[in-house]
């Protein structure tokens, strides 16, 4: 039998060779490292390869750190989970309706400030500005009566920590989270900072790799403003799960308790993390921001840690993780890294698929066009990259559906066959998400 270390290295090397993964991977069982390696380039222009200690922006993984800070204050008696937000941020007009527990568990109903019309990724933001925006809006749902991820939850919680402790979030994190966990290469990402060994962020366009769009990190704050390495995130996970290093065992159990199920992600929300299984057997945190996508999975059965950090925001970490999990549990991965398009296809026979498609529950849209004998998709999932016209290629033409894939990204679109072309529907798959869209208009 091939050693698990060799299987993992070959699997990740296959993804890198197919230009579907660039970054750092760290996989361990307990404290024993099974894989720790960099793949691809931290700086594409200068051909600087990724190293084991490359630094990445970790985006929403920051939320777990903010949740840990709040739980530390609960342990010290300075906060209670049932405290109302109005005790700390009375200027937010809905603060009397929302508890700290609801903010931590994504059940608050507080809108995500990154979804409001005033928001710009290039704007320098303050909590006061975010509150001003949200004071003009209702809650998304009655607190405690729904679940939805919102960056605002952790922006507000970060401000609560600062008010209760009298320290800036950077000072608090450094003294009470980074130092106790032994994190040597983790800190607050400021746009202007020069950070040794930091990876540059990239994305995909219709013509291949491009520089990621600029993102002002000021607004990210306690919801997404940290940078780190795979080694530090491994240490952080071990410290969280070990009693009294960062949190008591009861606080950690509260963190990984499921509080509400998100069907489109297939996970339940804990405090600053996602959980799955009954009883819980997988704890995960994920981050995605312009130029970076990251994930940390802990499998309680077997005590496995899987950390994947990439400096390309279109890398399909969910699918990569599926194969890694199979290998860890002694199964054969059934993950297709890159679909093989059919050759010599007359795409004019598929021109009738052109049009605009929408997913009504979230307001998401994309368009398909037929131009000069080729089919194009106008964007990746939740992304508008420079030169955003992505050519799609025929993968299979089956009795019930026609499937196309994008050559430079991880998107496939499956058009379901129907006798009524006005009722055309399509399954849009990016990474592990598969979302049903409906045609809403034809080409003009």
């Amino acid at each position: 039998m091939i050693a698990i270390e060799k299987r993992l290295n070959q699997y990740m090397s296959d993804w890198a060779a197919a230009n579907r993964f660039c970054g750092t991977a760290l996989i361990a069982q307990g404290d024993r490292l099974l894989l720790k390696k960099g793949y691809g380039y931290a700086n594409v222009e200068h051909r600087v390869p990724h190293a084991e200690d490359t630094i990445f922006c970790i985006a929403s993984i920051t939320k777990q750190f903010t949740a840990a800070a709040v739980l530390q204050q609960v342990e010290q008696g300075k906060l209670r989970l049932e405290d109302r937000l109005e005790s700390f941020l009375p200027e937010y007009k809905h603060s009397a309706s929302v508890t700290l527990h609801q903010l931590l568990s994504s059940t608050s109903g507080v809108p995500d400030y990154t979804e409001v019309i005033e928001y710009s990724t290039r704007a320098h933001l303050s909590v006061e500005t975010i509150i001003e925006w949200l004071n003009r809006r209702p809650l998304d749902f009655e607190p405690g009566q729904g679940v939805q991820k919102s960056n605002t939850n952790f922006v507000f919680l970060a401000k609560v920590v600062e008010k209760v402790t009298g320290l800036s979030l950077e000072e608090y994190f450094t003294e009470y989270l980074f130092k106790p966990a032994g994190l040597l290469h983790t800190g607050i990402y400021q746009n202007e900072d020069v950070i040794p060994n930091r990876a540059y962020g990239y994305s995909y366009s219709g013509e291949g790799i491009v520089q990621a769009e600029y993102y002002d990190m000021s607004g990210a704050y306690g919801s997404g403003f940290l940078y780190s390495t795979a080694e530090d995130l491994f240490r952080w996970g071990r410290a969280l799960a070990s009693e009294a290093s960062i949190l008591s065992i009861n606080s950690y159990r509260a963190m990984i308790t499921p509080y509400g199920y998100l069907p489109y992600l297939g996970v339940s929300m804990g405090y600053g993390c996602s959980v799955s299984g009954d009883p819980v057997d997988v704890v995960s945190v994920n981050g995605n921001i312009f130029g970076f996508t990251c994930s940390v999975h802990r499998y309680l059965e077997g005590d496995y840690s899987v950390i994947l950090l990439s400096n390309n925001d279109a890398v399909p970490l969910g699918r990569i993780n599926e194969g890694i999990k199979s290998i860890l549990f002694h199964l054969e991965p059934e993950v297709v890294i890159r679909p093989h398009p059919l050759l010599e296809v007359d795409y004019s026979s598929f021109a009738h698929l052109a049009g605009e498609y929408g997913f009504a529950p979230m307001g998401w849209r994309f368009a398909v066009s037929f131009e000069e004998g080729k089919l194009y998709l106008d964007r990746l999932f939740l992304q508008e990259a420079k030169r955003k016209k992505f050519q799609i290629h025929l993968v299979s033409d089956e009795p019930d559906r026609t499937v196309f894939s994008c050559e430079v990204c991880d998107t496939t679109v499956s058009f379901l066959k129907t006798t009524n072309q006005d009722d055309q529907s399509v399954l849009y798959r990016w990474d592990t998400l598969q979302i049903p869209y409906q045609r809403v208009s034809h080409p003009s």
Side-chain angles (χ1 to χ4, degrees):
M1 179 180 292
I2 300 175
I4 192 170
E5 292 90 341
K6 290 185 177 179
R7 292 187 67 200
L8 291 169
N9 183 52
Q10 184 62 58
Y11 177 76
M12 292 305 302
S13 295
D14 289 345
W15 278 90
N19 292 320
R20 287 289 193 261
F21 178 76
C22 59
T24 300
L26 187 155
I27 305 171
Q29 183 173 31
D31 292 323
R32 172 177 162 243
L33 290 178
L34 303 175
L35 177 70
K36 183 183 177 186
K37 188 174 179 180
Y39 302 85
Y41 295 108
N43 183 292
V44 173
E45 292 88 340
H46 296 286
R47 313 290 280 183
V48 178
H50 278 293
E52 295 178 354
D53 61 350
T54 300
I55 286 174
F56 299 81
C57 176
I58 60 171
S60 286
I61 293 176
T62 302
K63 292 178 172 69
Q64 190 175 47
F65 288 80
T66 301
V70 172
L71 289 171
Q72 285 182 335
Q73 297 308 299
V74 172
E75 289 180 6
Q76 295 175 25
K78 296 179 180 178
L79 292 174
R80 298 176 307 155
L81 292 173
E82 60 269 25
D83 284 344
R84 299 278 170 177
L85 185 59
E86 67 176 338
S87 300
F88 314 98
L89 292 176
E91 58 269 37
Y92 177 52
K93 74 173 186 178
H94 298 294
S95 60
S97 303
V98 177
T99 66
L100 299 186
H101 161 75
Q102 290 163 348
L103 293 170
L104 284 164
S105 61
S106 301
T107 59
S108 69
V110 175
D112 188 343
Y113 72 93
T114 67
E115 299 293 333
V116 304
I117 194 169
E118 296 94 336
Y119 176 69
S120 167
T121 58
R122 294 179 172 270
H124 196 75
L125 290 180
S126 66
V127 177
E128 290 71 26
T129 297
I130 291 171
I131 290 174
E132 180 183 336
W133 291 346
L134 298 185
N135 276 343
R136 298 195 287 267
R137 287 165 177 78
L139 293 169
D140 285 343
F141 51 81
E142 189 71 21
Q145 300 303 305
V147 57
Q148 181 61 46
K149 297 176 76 170
S150 170
N151 290 293
T152 311
N153 290 329
F154 290 86
V155 167
F156 284 176
L157 288 167
K159 198 65 175 178
V160 170
V161 170
E162 290 189 334
K163 289 199 170 188
V164 168
T165 65
L167 301 173
S168 71
L169 204 60
E170 182 171 12
E171 292 170 331
Y172 187 90
F173 278 12
T174 300
E175 188 64 28
Y176 297 103
L177 300 181
F178 302 161
K179 287 183 180 179
L183 310 188
L184 305 177
H185 304 288
T186 302
I188 308 302
Y189 187 104
Q190 308 282 359
N191 290 90
E192 66 274 15
D193 287 351
V194 175
I195 303 171
N197 299 322
R198 178 181 67 86
Y200 285 71
Y202 300 94
S203 187
Y204 279 124
S205 76
E207 299 174 12
I209 195 168
V210 292
Q211 292 279 357
E213 295 285 352
Y214 177 80
Y215 193 102
D216 191 296
M217 297 300 296
S218 60
Y221 189 42
S223 74
F225 71 165
L226 292 184
Y227 65 79
S228 192
T229 65
E231 177 71 29
D232 269 14
L233 290 175
F234 175 59
R235 290 180 179 178
W236 169 249
R238 301 301 290 169
L240 272 181
S242 61
E243 186 171 2
S245 179
I246 300 295
L247 297 174
S248 69
I249 190 65
N250 286 335
S251 291
Y252 183 63
R253 285 173 178 164
M255 174 180 277
I256 66 172
T257 294
Y259 297 106
Y261 184 69
L262 276 178
Y264 66 89
L265 292 179
V267 295
S268 295
M269 301 309 299
Y271 287 166
C273 64
S274 302
V275 296
S276 57
D278 185 16
V280 170
D281 58 3
V282 183
V283 180
S284 61
V285 285
N286 300 281
N288 189 277
I289 200 167
F290 287 0
F292 298 91
T293 186
C294 310
S295 71
V296 179
H297 281 63
R298 180 172 177 237
Y299 299 101
L300 304 189
E301 180 187 350
D303 194 17
Y304 291 111
S305 301
V306 179
I307 299 165
L308 300 175
L309 309 179
S310 176
N311 61 327
N312 188 307
D313 56 29
V315 167
L317 294 189
R319 297 203 307 117
I320 296 174
N321 269 303
E322 286 181 346
I324 291 173
K325 182 180 180 181
S326 295
I327 293 172
L328 293 178
F329 290 94
H330 309 290
L331 302 173
E332 193 64 34
E334 297 181 355
V335 180
V336 176
I337 295 176
R338 183 191 289 272
H340 297 291
L342 302 178
L343 302 177
E344 300 180 3
V345 176
D346 177 10
Y347 283 93
S348 63
S349 61
F350 302 107
H352 64 280
L353 299 175
E356 188 170 13
Y357 294 79
F359 178 58
M362 299 299 293
W364 296 335
R365 293 199 173 198
F366 68 86
V368 174
S369 60
F370 178 73
E371 304 172 33
E372 299 179 348
K374 299 177 182 179
L375 276 180
Y376 293 94
L377 190 68
D378 74 341
R379 74 194 64 186
L380 294 177
F381 180 67
L382 293 184
Q383 174 201 29
E384 292 193 28
K386 301 181 183 80
R387 307 169 210 155
K388 64 181 183 179
K389 195 165 62 174
F390 296 82
Q391 187 177 354
I392 54 177
H393 303 269
L394 182 66
V395 173
S396 65
D397 193 11
E398 303 167 11
D400 63 334
R401 68 189 62 200
T402 306
V403 182
F404 298 85
S405 71
C406 175
E407 183 63 25
V408 299
C409 62
D410 191 63
T411 297
T412 61
V413 282
S414 301
F415 294 87
L416 306 184
K417 293 187 175 179
T418 176
T419 55
N420 182 3
Q421 292 186 8
D422 290 331
D423 195 29
Q424 179 67 61
S425 59
V426 59
L427 293 177
Y428 190 121
R429 196 225 71 204
W430 185 83
D431 199 4
T432 56
L433 295 176
Q434 185 163 270
I435 302 171
Y437 281 71
Q438 200 73 21
R439 177 147 55 191
V440 294
S441 67
H442 291 267
S444 55

